[in-house]
């Protein structure tokens, strides 16, 4: 999947591990979908995915897990 970056470049979908934080708890979420633009080297997630990322971070913190799949 591809999308257009704000710079006008072509951004490709990649899956990467992202760290999220709530207060002093840091958790790692695996395989977070993010678009990466080779032109400006910007990585970004779409609205629904960043919402889900925040939910996964909260779930991990609430369950005491240090890592979770997306
Ligand atoms: Zn770009």
């Amino acid at each position: 999947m591809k999308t257009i970056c704000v710079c006008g470049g072509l951004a490709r979908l990649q899956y990467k591990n992202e760290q999220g934080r709530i207060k002093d708890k840091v958790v790692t979420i695996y395989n977070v979908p993010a678009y990466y633009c080779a032109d400006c080297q910007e990585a970004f997630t779409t609205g629904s995915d960043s919402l889900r990322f925040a939910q996964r971070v909260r779930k991990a913190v609430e369950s005491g897990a240090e890592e979770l799949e997306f």
Side-chain angles (χ1 to χ4, degrees):
M1 275 178 49
K2 295 170 188 167
T3 191
I4 301 297
C5 175
V6 287
C7 77
L10 199 60
R12 292 169 181 276
L13 185 62
Q14 292 186 333
Y15 292 88
K16 53 183 197 148
N17 305 333
E18 286 266 21
Q19 283 196 328
R21 174 193 292 261
I22 296 179
K23 292 177 185 166
D24 60 336
K25 305 266 191 210
V26 179
V27 297
T28 303
I29 308 299
Y30 292 112
N31 298 314
V32 179
Y35 286 93
Y36 175 74
C37 173
D39 287 354
C40 65
Q41 292 172 11
E42 198 70 39
F44 54 95
T45 47
T46 59
S48 60
D49 284 343
S50 50
L51 195 66
R52 181 170 165 84
F53 176 73
Q55 289 170 343
R56 299 303 280 163
V57 170
R58 191 165 61 228
K59 185 165 195 284
V61 170
E62 281 171 357
S63 63
E66 291 179 350
E67 49 196 39
L68 210 60
E69 286 284 328
F70 181 73

